[in-house]
Amino acid sequence: MKNLNKIFVALLLVFGLTTQAQDSDNPWSLSFGVNAVDTRTSAEGSGVFDQPFKVKENWNVLPSLSYLNISRYVGDGFSVGITGSVNKIDKLVYQSETNPKDYLAVNPGDLSYYAADATIKYSFMNLIKSKIIDPSLHIGGGYTWLEDYETGTLNGGAGVTFWFSETVGLSLQTTYKKSFNDNDTNETRATGVPTHFQHLAGLTFKFGGKDSDDDGIYDKDDACPDVKGPKELNGCPDTDRDGVLDKEDSCVDVVGLAEFQGCPDTDKDGIADKDDACPEIAGLKAFGGCPDTDGDGLTDKSDKCPTVSGPKENQGCPWPDTDGDGVLDKDDKCINIKGTAANNGCPEISEDQVNKLNAYAKTILFNSGKSTFKQETFAVLQSITAILKEYPSSNFSIEGHTDADGKDAMNQKLSEERAAAVKNYLIENGISTNRLTSAGFGESKPIDSNKTAAGKANNRRVEVKLVK
């Protein structure tokens, strides 16, 4: 047992230097079990593979845990490892001196056997496409101690592992160990380390694969190593089971479509519900997914007349034309009275009506030298007011005139005051002030002679003129 430390030092050395992977999922493997040593192949004249399985006659088996192997995968079916083994040699096979065809198994005295072997192994498992049977070949070298003798060996052999699961299997292996100090004569055979076969049988455990999220998929194959997910999605979760991974799904808890990053499109208008202002009614992208039935540029929910096209300024409804004169109410200054487009929807005053106004105006009577009305004039003023109300968009100028009696300045002032008096009466009786202006012209615009009483009466007048 004095050389046992050497074995474990060698094991640790190889363990530390081999830094590849046992297979694509688990980088390491550990094997342990029993080993058998058969020295028959060293007997002079025997063939290397002559009757190798005479177990009772030739095999040396230590009935306990007697070998340990650690290895690591290096890619493409290859792995490297080291094996340490112990045994007791109580059957050393020699060729019979009296009959060369006979072989004798002699007990040399329970010799202590230790071996440390480095191995390069190639697995055929992927080639035969099996997940259970794993045949292999191996070569390597090692060092063997047999009681007081020691030597290096050149090794080669084959093996097979039967995998019970992904990480546990039963391994069987046989190795031919060519000794570098195997003696050539039968007499000196016991003074060296003979060439021999070593057979191993034991359990193999693969380990080292990392599965951080414990979803049964190793991190190296797991597209989402920190989150559990199914194998068919490479280890990534799909909470809503819509085929879009959570990491790419903008609507993780709602079944959706891949084209919308996992979000639904309830109304099937090509806009994901999360971006659709009207998710249950098919609409247009330009309106955030809302419909515009009448195509007037306003969404139905903002359109007071969703089925009739109308301007935005009127909340999607067409402008009305209350009086039916062809001028829309928005442009019609006389909404309830038919008019003309030229006069903004209001009726246009005719020349006859203007003449009628002036006929009335000429009958307006003032107290002498004053701008106050005589009583009989109020009926005339009311008639003028009624005509002006019929044409609410027409503007008028009220002009005052006097005869030539008196001073010019006095006449000018009086004409202005009389025109203003008519204007004020009309305003007080409902005519808009911005429709009326007034002016006085004194005696400067006579329409008759100032030399007769009749002529002077004609010159003292008020005129109503249409302002165009």
Side-chain angles (χ1 to χ4, degrees):
M1 302 296 288
K2 62 182 180 180
N3 294 309
L4 189 58
N5 288 335
K6 297 179 182 179
I7 297 174
F8 289 108
V9 168
L11 285 171
L12 292 173
L13 178 62
V14 173
F15 185 85
L17 293 176
T18 54
T19 56
Q20 303 299 320
Q22 173 64 28
D23 63 20
S24 59
D25 293 331
N26 291 280
W28 292 96
S29 76
L30 175 68
S31 301
F32 56 86
V34 297
N35 79 92
V37 175
D38 181 2
T39 64
R40 179 183 178 84
T41 187
S42 294
E44 185 177 328
S46 69
V48 172
F49 299 103
D50 181 31
Q51 298 179 345
F53 296 107
K54 286 192 172 184
V55 178
K56 288 185 178 181
E57 296 88 343
N58 303 333
W59 286 20
N60 298 272
V61 179
L62 190 65
S64 65
L65 180 65
S66 58
Y67 87 88
L68 178 68
N69 170 270
I70 297 176
S71 64
R72 189 174 174 98
Y73 189 68
V74 294
D76 296 328
F78 288 96
S79 61
V80 295
I82 192 167
T83 303
S85 58
V86 298
N87 211 319
K88 286 288 186 180
I89 305 300
D90 57 11
K91 298 183 184 71
L92 204 58
V93 180
Y94 294 99
Q95 187 178 24
S96 172
E97 294 181 1
T98 58
N99 186 359
K101 293 183 179 181
D102 291 337
Y103 300 93
L104 302 176
V106 178
N107 187 340
D110 291 343
L111 304 178
S112 296
Y113 175 97
Y114 301 98
D117 300 291
T119 304
I120 298 175
K121 181 173 73 173
Y122 179 74
S123 169
F124 293 90
M125 189 173 184
N126 288 335
L127 291 180
I128 66 173
K129 300 185 183 303
S130 173
K131 293 184 178 180
I132 298 175
I133 302 174
D134 182 6
S136 63
L137 293 175
H138 62 272
I139 60 172
Y143 209 81
T144 301
W145 295 265
L146 183 60
E147 200 63 33
D148 295 328
Y149 299 96
E150 58 186 69
T151 187
T153 60
L154 180 63
N155 306 333
V160 62
T161 300
F162 301 95
W163 293 106
F164 306 134
S165 68
E166 187 177 359
T167 58
V168 181
L170 171 65
S171 294
L172 304 175
Q173 179 177 298
T174 185
T175 303
Y176 176 74
K177 293 185 173 183
K178 173 61 179 176
S179 173
F180 289 110
N181 76 343
D182 191 3
N183 294 295
D184 294 330
T185 63
N186 212 37
E187 292 78 4
T188 59
R189 186 82 58 181
T191 61
V193 178
T195 296
H196 57 281
F197 274 98
Q198 185 176 39
H199 311 296
L200 307 178
L203 294 176
T204 296
F205 297 87
K206 290 190 289 188
F207 63 96
K210 188 177 182 182
D211 180 12
S212 298
D213 54 16
D214 197 28
D215 60 1
I217 304 170
Y218 293 105
D219 287 2
K220 72 178 189 64
D221 299 320
D222 197 330
C224 301
D226 298 319
V227 186
K228 284 187 177 182
K231 288 185 178 180
E232 59 269 21
L233 296 177
N234 295 322
C236 288
D238 176 17
T239 301
D240 53 19
R241 299 178 182 272
D242 60 2
V244 182
L245 304 182
D246 287 1
K247 66 178 182 178
E248 299 169 353
D249 198 328
S250 297
C251 300
V252 174
D253 299 316
V254 183
V255 176
L257 304 172
E259 61 185 296
F260 301 120
Q261 291 78 50
C263 291
D265 176 19
T266 302
D267 54 18
K268 298 181 180 179
D269 60 1
I271 305 169
D273 288 359
K274 70 183 183 68
D275 301 319
D276 198 330
C278 302
E280 297 180 354
I281 306 172
L284 305 172
K285 288 185 178 180
F287 300 115
C290 291
D292 175 19
T293 302
D294 55 18
D296 60 4
L298 281 176
T299 60
D300 289 358
K301 67 179 183 178
S302 302
D303 196 330
K304 287 194 173 181
C305 301
T307 60
V308 182
S309 180
K312 292 181 180 179
E313 295 77 11
N314 199 39
Q315 296 178 301
C317 292
W319 292 108
D321 178 14
T322 301
D323 55 18
D325 59 3
V327 181
L328 301 178
D329 286 2
K330 72 182 182 69
D331 302 316
D332 197 330
K333 293 185 177 179
C334 301
I335 293 176
N336 297 307
I337 303 172
K338 285 187 176 182
T340 64
N343 199 38
N344 300 317
C346 291
E348 294 188 69
I349 189 168
S350 65
E351 186 175 349
D352 289 342
Q353 289 290 74
V354 173
N355 291 335
K356 188 176 182 180
L357 282 172
N358 282 305
Y360 281 129
K362 288 178 181 179
T363 63
I364 295 174
L365 300 175
F366 296 93
N367 292 311
S368 179
K370 297 180 180 180
S371 60
T372 57
F373 302 114
K374 289 186 175 182
Q375 187 63 38
E376 59 267 31
T377 293
F378 288 107
V380 174
L381 291 173
Q382 290 174 3
S383 297
I384 293 174
T385 301
I387 294 174
L388 263 60
K389 286 183 177 181
E390 292 180 17
Y391 304 97
S393 67
S394 297
N395 299 326
F396 299 91
S397 173
I398 311 299
E399 298 181 355
H401 300 272
T402 65
D403 58 23
D405 289 348
K407 296 181 179 180
D408 289 349
M410 289 295 295
N411 288 335
Q412 178 64 34
K413 180 180 179 184
L414 182 60
S415 66
E416 291 175 356
E417 290 176 348
R418 286 180 172 178
V422 174
K423 173 186 173 184
N424 291 336
Y425 178 89
L426 295 174
I427 291 172
E428 290 171 359
N429 285 272
I431 305 302
S432 174
T433 184
N434 58 8
R435 295 179 56 200
L436 302 173
T437 59
S438 64
F441 295 94
E443 58 187 70
S444 64
K445 293 183 178 183
I447 57 174
D448 205 343
S449 172
N450 281 308
K451 295 181 179 180
T452 64
K456 290 180 181 180
N458 288 334
N459 287 334
R460 293 191 300 272
R461 70 194 187 278
V462 172
E463 293 181 357
V464 180
K465 293 187 175 181
L466 177 66
V467 178
K468 295 185 178 179

